[in-house]
Amino acid sequence: MEQSIAIDSTTDLHSAAVVMDSVADAVDRAVRVLADTLTLLGDPITVQHNGSTPQSTVTAGSSANPPWGTDSYGKSFADGEAGYVNLSTDLLQGGFDLAHTLSQFAHGMSRAAGDLDSTEEDATAAFS
């Protein structure tokens, strides 16, 4: 199946890029608030915000006294492939990755609109 994209106006594409970027920011803020709140509640996750890129990395930390406790029930809740620690780090990482991907889409849309504008200006100048 062939897919195509039709652009009627680069102004619309620029506007869509701005909206997409604001969605990326909103997702990133929501995931950061969730991660920060979990950390304040004693969840031993670690979120590293990589300075040179907007990408964040979530890892499971360790705590001598996690909020779910260290007894057999707490370990059953937290440990293992389907345990809270693994699932929560995957969920948070997925949220940060989604925000990063949306931001990349927004910047790509903006660049595409700018490239289309430049091509149009160059073509118009060539035929003037």
Side-chain angles (χ1 to χ4, degrees), residues 31 35 45-48 56-60 88-90 92-94 96:
V31 177
I45 58 167
T46 303
V47 178
Q48 182 179 16
S56 295
T57 304
V58 180
T59 55
S88 67
T89 55
D90 287 350
L92 290 170
Q93 187 64 60
F96 283 123

Side-chain angles (χ1 to χ4, degrees), residues 50-67:
N50 304 323
S52 60
T53 66
Q55 196 73 24
S56 295
T57 304
V58 180
T59 55
S62 62
S63 171
N65 190 22

Side-chain angles (χ1 to χ4, degrees), residues 19-81:
V19 170
M20 179 73 75
D21 204 36
S22 68
V23 170
D25 288 343
V27 169
D28 185 70
R29 279 191 312 275
V31 177
R32 285 177 192 265
V33 166
L34 175 58
D36 291 347
T37 301
L38 290 172
T39 299
L40 287 172
L41 293 172
D43 193 327
I45 58 167
T46 303
V47 178
Q48 182 179 16
H49 305 292
N50 304 323
S52 60
T53 66
Q55 196 73 24
S56 295
T57 304
V58 180
T59 55
S62 62
S63 171
N65 190 22
W68 46 81
T70 57
D71 61 2
S72 62
Y73 293 110
K75 288 180 181 182
S76 174
F77 167 76
D79 296 340
E81 188 175 319

Side-chain angles (χ1 to χ4, degrees), residues 6-15 113 116-117:
I7 298 172
D8 295 324
S9 163
T10 56
T11 303
D12 291 344
L13 188 55
H14 277 293
S15 296
L116 287 168
D117 285 339

